[in-house]
Amino acid sequence: MSYRILLVDDEPDILEILGYNLKKEGYEVFMAEDGLQAIVQAKKHKPHLIVMDVMMPNMDGIEACIKIRETPELSKTIITFLSARSEDYSQISGLNAGADDYLTKPVRPRVLLSKVKSLLRRLEDISTEKPQVFKDITIDPNKYKVLKGGVEIKFAKKEFKLLQLLFSNIGKVFTRDEIMNTIWGTDVFVGDRTIDVHIRKLREKLGNNVIETIKGVGYRLSE
Amino acid sequence: MSYRILLVDDEPDILEILGYNLKKEGYEVFMAEDGLQAIVQAKKHKPHLIVMDVMMPNMDGIEACIKIRETPELSKTIITFLSARSEDYSQISGLNAGADDYLTKPVRPRVLLSKVKSLLRRLEDISTEKPQVFKDITIDPNKYKVLKGGVEIKFAKKEFKLLQLLFSNIGKVFTRDEIMNTIWGTDVFVGDRTIDVHIRKLREKLGNNVIETIKGVGYRLSE
DNA sequence: TTAATGATTTAACACAACCTTAACATTTTC
DNA sequence: GAAAATGTTAAGGTTGTGTTAAATCATTAA
């Protein structure tokens, strides 16, 4: 599979030049001309890497970056800013906004390529949350994917998180409190039955012999 | 409970960027700008993890690390160094000083986060209760699991607690009072036969040669 | 924007496991 | 052999979980 890269800049010339070079290297390239488009494209294509200008009409790069960072499914996306050499300010606030790196304009295609390469290598290192296997079930946190007997089963966000928690320590009993704190956080109040309902959903999809109830204690993957 | 992290670096910008990212992930972050401050902050907040630059004014990271390691109450604290890429020397001597890991500067927030996560996971593993073994019986508090001859036997909550108590000190006689206080607490009143009934359940499941009655005193695991 | 779809939470009730008790039996101690 | 301590059994009562449907909330598409 090739990596997906989203280029964001308000100058079509730059998009074209950089895009051409990235495509030539085998990357899948998407483009956007402002922050708003960037967000739409990001959600649509789930790029591994976003290279984004800071100064843009409609919505600047910083703001777009913050919005993107708020999207859970894009949390692993690497964001790199392009900024004019002198705008040191933007570098700092860009990093504050959750960017991983920045490049100074004007960008040499050759420089961009080597940067892109090293950033994507980093992604490989980080996405080291290895797929977990239990019985005939495989859960891959990176791809947000669950296979049972080789067949993909779809899970909603909360369901997936819950499943991920149970898989994070196979066999361990997770108390309702632990589950609560992990999935909902400490300052959210949801009723007691909510957890059961989610457990039920998981059982519905995975079968009844996977998640075991320990009454008065919690739940675990049953070996 | 969230983890506490102490960041130590003499560059406020770095503190700010890394601190921001760690806080965003839900960690409690403290900061210090040199080794002396680091020691003060460490003693004050008992962080789970310290991320510390090597080169600093007043007292460098190596020395601070040694001092911290000498403090008994901080013995479990994980210490990670930050060092410029080329300073191989400091990496070696840092690890000699009792550091657990190191990162090379410049540090990408994303890299730090994944590192922090994996280091703290190490902490969790240490703190988990280890399975106890007696005769052909294994009890694993974490998984809430009891094996006899390799076969799992299920226990209800109170039963499990009682068994856990007996296993907590194999061979020791536990008086009815001790059992009462441990399983039911001091402000709950249950009849005298209740304990017997629970002991009976355990014997039913584990066989009669495991739990011994010392009449007038209590119960124990019999060798 | 609104509509429509899907995800999440709530509420009400059903159900089963668990715990405790009480009554009586058995064993141990003196 | 009587008293004291513990063992046994089965019957409620209690509690925690399962289930369902409907209500709310969030997201996507139109």
Side-chain angles (χ1 to χ4, degrees):
Chain A
M1 180 211 61
S2 76
Y3 286 109
R4 294 182 296 279
I5 299 176
L6 174 60
L7 286 178
V8 191
D9 200 304
D10 55 335
E11 292 171 69
D13 286 355
I14 292 189
L15 286 183
E16 197 185 331
I17 293 174
L18 298 183
Y20 169 80
N21 279 279
L22 289 170
K23 279 176 188 160
K24 207 171 58 180
E25 288 294 310
Y27 296 111
E28 206 173 334
V29 179
F30 306 96
M31 300 175 184
E33 296 194 359
D34 61 41
L36 285 173
Q37 279 185 38
I39 291 170
V40 173
Q41 292 292 308
K43 286 187 177 171
K44 189 167 169 190
H45 299 294
K46 315 254 163 54
H48 300 92
L49 170 67
I50 299 175
V51 179
M52 181 156 50
D53 194 15
V54 175
M55 304 278 279
M56 288 181 302
N58 286 336
M59 183 190 282
D60 70 28
I62 308 279
E63 201 178 342
C65 177
I66 292 172
K67 290 263 190 275
I68 287 165
R69 277 283 174 262
E70 285 169 356
T71 310
E73 48 187 354
L74 295 175
S75 68
K76 295 242 169 70
T77 303
I78 296 176
I79 301 178
T80 303
F81 277 125
L82 296 177
S83 64
R85 182 156 295 141
S86 56
E87 309 171 28
D88 285 62
Y89 155 76
S90 68
Q91 292 176 2
I92 300 296
S93 80
L95 292 173
N96 271 332
D100 298 279
D101 208 338
Y102 59 84
L103 287 160
T104 50
K105 277 184 167 186
V107 192
R108 288 278 152 82
R110 188 164 292 279
V111 173
L112 177 66
L113 282 177
S114 85
K115 197 74 163 181
V116 160
K117 218 170 156 188
S118 92
L119 284 171
L120 289 176
R121 192 166 37 239
R122 179 152 299 138
L123 188 64
E124 267 167 25
D125 294 343
I126 291 162
S127 60
T128 194
E129 293 175 57
K130 296 186 189 77
Q132 291 287 322
V133 180
F134 172 70
K135 289 185 173 171
D136 65 340
I137 301 164
T138 307
I139 177 170
D140 187 336
N142 299 305
K143 298 180 181 167
Y144 201 86
K145 201 173 206 178
V146 179
L147 298 179
K148 181 177 168 67
V151 183
E152 177 168 9
I153 301 179
K154 308 263 184 193
F155 287 89
K157 248 179 304 208
K158 288 263 159 63
E159 290 167 24
F160 190 87
K161 268 181 121 176
L162 176 52
L163 193 63
Q164 203 179 350
L165 177 62
L166 292 172
F167 266 81
S168 72
N169 196 337
I170 291 173
K172 175 187 183 312
V173 176
F174 291 90
T175 66
R176 281 165 173 275
D177 277 354
E178 285 179 278
I179 293 173
M180 209 64 195
N181 289 333
T182 309
I183 314 280
W184 285 270
T186 47
D187 41 32
V188 179
F189 305 99
V190 291
D192 226 16
R193 296 278 64 68
T194 304
I195 291 177
D196 306 294
V197 173
H198 282 273
I199 290 283
R200 181 167 191 291
K201 289 279 184 60
L202 295 187
R203 284 178 173 151
E204 223 167 49
K205 294 179 180 178
L206 296 174
N208 281 12
N209 59 339
V210 177
I211 299 168
E212 194 176 354
T213 304
I214 312 291
K215 214 172 167 172
V217 186
Y219 298 92
R220 72 175 183 192
L221 295 183
S222 63
E223 330 224 22
Chain B
M1 180 211 61
S2 77
Y3 286 107
R4 295 182 297 279
I5 299 176
L6 173 60
L7 286 178
V8 191
D9 201 304
D10 55 335
E11 292 171 69
D13 284 355
I14 292 189
L15 286 183
E16 195 187 332
I17 292 173
L18 298 183
Y20 170 82
N21 279 279
L22 289 170
K23 281 177 189 160
K24 206 173 60 180
E25 288 294 310
Y27 298 110
E28 207 173 333
V29 179
F30 306 96
M31 299 173 183
E33 296 192 359
D34 60 42
L36 285 174
Q37 279 185 38
I39 291 171
V40 172
Q41 292 291 309
K43 287 188 177 170
K44 189 168 169 190
H45 299 294
K46 314 254 163 52
H48 300 91
L49 172 66
I50 299 175
V51 179
M52 181 156 51
D53 194 15
V54 175
M55 304 278 280
M56 288 182 300
N58 286 336
M59 183 189 283
D60 71 27
I62 308 279
E63 201 179 335
C65 176
I66 292 171
K67 290 261 189 275
I68 288 165
R69 277 282 175 265
E70 287 170 355
T71 311
E73 49 187 355
L74 296 174
S75 66
K76 284 200 180 132
T77 303
I78 296 173
I79 300 178
T80 303
F81 276 124
L82 296 177
S83 64
R85 184 156 293 140
S86 56
E87 309 170 29
D88 285 63
Y89 154 76
S90 67
Q91 291 175 2
I92 303 295
S93 78
L95 292 173
N96 276 335
D100 297 279
D101 208 337
Y102 62 85
L103 287 160
T104 49
K105 279 185 165 187
V107 191
R108 303 256 164 275
R110 190 161 289 277
V111 173
L112 177 66
L113 284 176
S114 89
K115 197 73 158 185
V116 160
K117 214 170 153 190
S118 89
L119 285 172
L120 290 175
R121 193 164 33 238
R122 183 191 298 177
L123 198 62
E124 261 171 30
D125 291 344
I126 292 167
S127 66
T128 51
E129 308 163 70
K130 298 201 175 63
Q132 291 287 321
V133 181
F134 172 70
K135 288 185 174 172
D136 64 341
I137 302 164
T138 308
I139 178 170
D140 185 337
N142 232 286
K143 299 189 171 182
Y144 207 86
K145 192 176 210 177
V146 179
L147 298 178
K148 182 178 167 66
V151 182
E152 177 168 9
I153 301 177
K154 313 248 180 197
F155 288 89
K157 192 179 173 185
K158 287 262 159 64
E159 291 165 22
F160 192 90
K161 270 180 120 175
L162 176 52
L163 193 63
Q164 204 178 351
L165 177 62
L166 293 172
F167 266 81
S168 72
N169 196 336
I170 292 171
K172 173 185 186 309
V173 178
F174 290 90
T175 67
R176 282 165 173 274
D177 277 355
E178 282 179 280
I179 294 173
M180 209 64 198
N181 289 334
T182 309
I183 314 281
W184 283 270
T186 48
D187 41 32
V188 179
F189 304 100
V190 291
D192 226 17
R193 296 279 63 68
T194 304
I195 291 177
D196 306 318
V197 173
H198 281 276
I199 290 284
R200 181 170 192 290
K201 289 278 185 61
L202 295 187
R203 286 178 171 150
E204 218 168 52
K205 294 178 179 179
L206 295 175
N208 282 6
N209 59 339
V210 176
I211 299 167
E212 191 179 355
T213 303
I214 314 292
K215 213 166 170 162
V217 187
Y219 299 91
R220 72 173 181 193
L221 294 183
S222 63
E223 326 248 5

